[in-house]
Amino acid sequence: EAGVTQFPSHSVIEKGQTVTLRCDPISGHDNLYWYRRVMGKEIKFLLHFVKESKQDESGMPNNRFLAERTGGTYSTLKVQPAELEDSGVYFCASSPVTAYGYTFGSGTRLTVV
Amino acid sequence: GQSLEQPSEVTAVEGAIVQINCTYQTSGFYGLSWYQQHDGGAPTFLSYNGLDGLEETGRFSSFLSRSDSYGYLLLQELQMKDSASYFCAVRDPDTGRRALTFGSGTRLQVQP
């Protein structure tokens, strides 16, 4: 079974630019999550989709972040405009409805300069 | 709010046993999970404890004491490939929230 795929693996952009991260979850997983790890600190929750619906977006830092999940399949996370403090590793994870554990992707390392 | 504490670093030798502790403070409780992450890799789910006691999966075991708000991950017969960061995590108990709150991670260094 294919795992959770994230693209790109690395992105370096200038402050003020826009970046879009993509996540392809495991096929059939209704739950999709975005997390990020900033400066080696703890992994922090951003938001949770159930199919195409945003179930919980309480972790989104501000309105510069926009997440979508078209048709309940892949998801995108757009940062516009990017700020220096947005640098970090953005992880996507997915899980079936009843699972305790998530399957994470390898993350996108975002560097804003 | 929720917070978890775990040691920042642990060092052990190949073949040894190491225990990584995790204490948590939460408004409620819905199970303790453990994840492993190698540098540059994806966090990988290791175990889940919803009830008190020990869960064993091969060389790894995880323990939970809800009365003490405490759990640990036990790694036996350490191998070099076990060098990684280990995170404990709790799920928010509020109805409908499946978000995990992670600890800051424990970096395990296995030496020859």
Side-chain angles (χ1 to χ4, degrees):
Chain A
E1 147 181 281
V4 176
T5 305
Q6 292 188 244
F7 182 84
S9 57
H10 293 81
S11 179
V12 180
I13 61 171
E14 293 184 353
K15 176 182 172 181
Q17 289 186 322
T18 298
V19 63
T20 300
L21 315 181
R22 174 171 169 142
C23 169
D24 286 78
I26 291 174
S27 178
H29 281 193
D30 287 344
N31 291 295
L32 186 149
Y33 312 84
W34 284 96
Y35 286 79
R36 75 173 177 179
R37 192 177 187 201
V38 174
M39 292 290 291
K41 296 182 178 178
E42 65 268 25
I43 301 168
K44 287 207 165 182
F45 169 77
L46 295 178
L47 88 159
H48 169 212
F49 283 99
V50 177
K51 297 185 180 179
E52 67 275 10
S53 300
K54 290 178 186 173
Q55 181 78 11
D56 179 359
E57 51 184 332
S58 61
M60 295 287 262
N62 51 61
N63 59 10
R64 296 185 294 102
F65 289 75
L66 175 64
E68 294 179 328
R69 189 179 183 192
T70 308
T73 55
Y74 71 92
S75 175
T76 57
L77 179 65
K78 180 190 288 188
V79 185
Q80 178 182 29
E83 299 289 343
L84 297 178
E85 64 264 26
D86 300 332
S87 295
V89 182
Y90 288 77
F91 292 103
C92 174
S94 71
S95 72
V97 172
T98 57
Y100 292 120
Y102 302 166
T103 301
F104 277 84
S106 296
T108 294
R109 182 173 294 277
L110 175 65
T111 303
V112 183
V113 297
Chain B
Q2 305 181 96
S3 66
L4 298 95
E5 287 193 16
Q6 51 181 131
S8 58
E9 288 186 25
V10 173
T11 302
V13 297
E14 240 181 328
I17 299 172
V18 72
Q19 179 174 312
I20 299 174
N21 299 321
C22 175
T23 57
Y24 58 87
Q25 290 185 327
T26 61
S27 55
F29 184 73
Y30 204 87
L32 184 70
S33 301
W34 289 91
Y35 285 79
Q36 176 194 60
Q37 185 188 19
H38 288 97
D39 286 346
T44 303
F45 173 71
L46 292 178
S47 68
Y48 170 82
N49 292 73
L51 301 174
D52 291 351
L54 192 68
E55 295 285 339
E56 298 181 71
T57 308
R59 295 187 297 112
F60 293 3
S61 303
S62 57
F63 172 82
L64 175 66
S65 169
R66 289 175 294 172
S67 61
D68 296 321
S69 297
Y70 163 76
Y72 65 72
L73 180 69
L74 190 74
L75 297 85
Q76 303 183 71
E77 301 172 18
L78 280 174
Q79 302 176 8
M80 297 298 290
K81 67 179 182 179
D82 297 329
S83 293
S85 292
Y86 293 83
F87 296 87
C88 57
V90 294
R91 179 175 149 183
D92 191 296
D94 290 347
T95 300
R97 293 204 73 218
R98 292 178 61 95
L100 288 177
T101 299
F102 285 86
S104 297
T106 299
R107 188 168 187 85
L108 171 64
Q109 183 77 26
V110 180
Q111 297 178 338

